[in-house]
């Protein structure tokens, strides 16, 4: 059983690092590669926690409508399928319907009119943060589903063909699908931020600083997460 779990874990790490390094020429990926090579996963994990606390402190200056970020424990459970995305949405009270509207917009369908409504500055900022947390949970779940698919393909092979070569071959064949997840998430986050900017403009509020802060928080965590998984790969001797 321990051997099976180890294989599943390594496959998951390989998938995530492919997502992390497929656009290696991008600035944040170069930074991730450097950080992941020079710092331990524990050190990077501590930095992620520190950044989340700092973000929470900063966002409280803009809104009292704070939505809680998914915990590291629940994120791991979501990734491994021990808890469903729907359970996460319910537990953290994430704006599920608004998230689905954003996803539909990305596919070229008409967005719900309710999603364009404008409340108070406090409300719209809190709602945008909630949408971004919902997106994060959604894509963690998608990475977990991808890992299950790859693991299923690997375990379907005869035992004598479950080699490192075939493991990497299966993972490599998922590169296009894996790399598209980051692009999709980037696009959906951009939609959330564009909506927030428009809503704040309608309310006569300057959106420059809050948009800048949300973009930085998103990009910083993405870079650190890539560094974290690259570091884990190295620690596993891969």
């Amino acid at each position: 059983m321990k051997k099976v779990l180890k294989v599943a874990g390594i496959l998951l790490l390989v998938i995530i690092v492919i997502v992390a390094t497929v656009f290696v020429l991008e600035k944040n990926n170069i930074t991730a590669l450097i950080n992941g090579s020079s710092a331990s996963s524990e050190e990077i994990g501590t930095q992620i926690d520190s950044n989340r606390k700092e973000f929470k402190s900063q966002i409280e200056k803009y809104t009292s409508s704070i939505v809680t970020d998914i915990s590291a424990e629940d994120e791991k459970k979501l990734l491994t399928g021990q808890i469903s995305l729907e359970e996460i949405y319910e537990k953290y009270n994430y704006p599920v319907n608004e998230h689905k509207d954003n996803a539909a917009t990305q596919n070229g369908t008409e967005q719900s009119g309710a999603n364009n409504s404008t409340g108070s500055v406090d409300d719209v900022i809190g709602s945008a943060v909630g949408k971004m947390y919902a997106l994060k949970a959604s894509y963690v779940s998608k990475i977990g589903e991808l890992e299950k698919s790859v693991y299923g393909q690997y375990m379907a092979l005869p035992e004598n063909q479950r080699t490192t070569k075939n493991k990497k071959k299966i993972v490599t064949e998922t590169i296009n699908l894996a790399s598209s997840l980051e692009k999709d998430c980037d696009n959906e986050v951009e939609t959330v931020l564009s909506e927030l900017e428009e809503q704040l403009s309608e309310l006569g509020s300057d959106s420059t600083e809050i948009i800048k802060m949300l973009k930085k928080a998103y990009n910083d965590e993405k870079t650190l997460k890539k560094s974290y998984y690259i570091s884990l790969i190295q620690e596993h001797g891969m």
Side-chain angles (χ1 to χ4, degrees), residues 220-232:
D220 284 354
E221 173 145 346
K222 189 168 67 169
T223 300
L224 281 171
K225 274 295 181 66
K226 292 174 182 180
S227 299
Y228 177 77
Y229 291 119
I230 290 169
S231 181
L232 279 178

Side-chain angles (χ1 to χ4, degrees), residues 191-206:
T191 296
V192 170
L193 296 180
S194 294
E195 289 174 0
L196 174 60
E197 186 173 17
E198 181 179 346
Q199 289 172 327
L200 290 176
S201 177
E202 290 175 1
L203 290 167
S205 178
D206 183 9

Side-chain angles (χ1 to χ4, degrees), residues 5-11 13-14 41 167 228-238:
L5 291 174
K6 182 178 180 182
V7 170
I10 290 174
L11 280 170
L13 291 174
V14 173
S41 60
K167 183 194 307 177
Y228 177 77
Y229 291 119
I230 290 169
S231 181
L232 279 178
I233 282 287
Q234 292 190 326
E235 290 169 7
H236 279 79
M238 296 187 65

Side-chain angles (χ1 to χ4, degrees), residues 103-119:
T105 302
Q106 291 297 320
N107 293 326
T109 59
E110 184 178 356
Q111 190 173 7
S112 169
N115 197 38
N116 291 324
S117 61
T118 303

Side-chain angles (χ1 to χ4, degrees), residues 23 26 28 106 135 139 179-193 218-219 222 226:
F23 303 109
E26 293 182 7
N28 69 325
Q106 291 297 320
L135 281 171
Y139 280 90
S179 63
S180 71
L181 290 178
E182 181 178 11
K183 287 184 177 180
D184 290 344
C185 190
D186 286 346
N187 289 338
E188 290 200 61
V189 166
E190 190 59 39
T191 296
V192 170
L193 296 180
Y218 171 69
N219 287 321
K222 189 168 67 169
K226 292 174 182 180

Side-chain angles (χ1 to χ4, degrees), residues 63-80:
T63 177
S64 61
S65 304
I66 299 300
V67 182
T68 305
D69 192 1
I70 181 174
S71 69
E73 181 181 359
D74 281 342
E75 186 175 334
K76 183 177 180 180
K77 288 181 179 179
L78 181 60
L79 190 65
T80 56

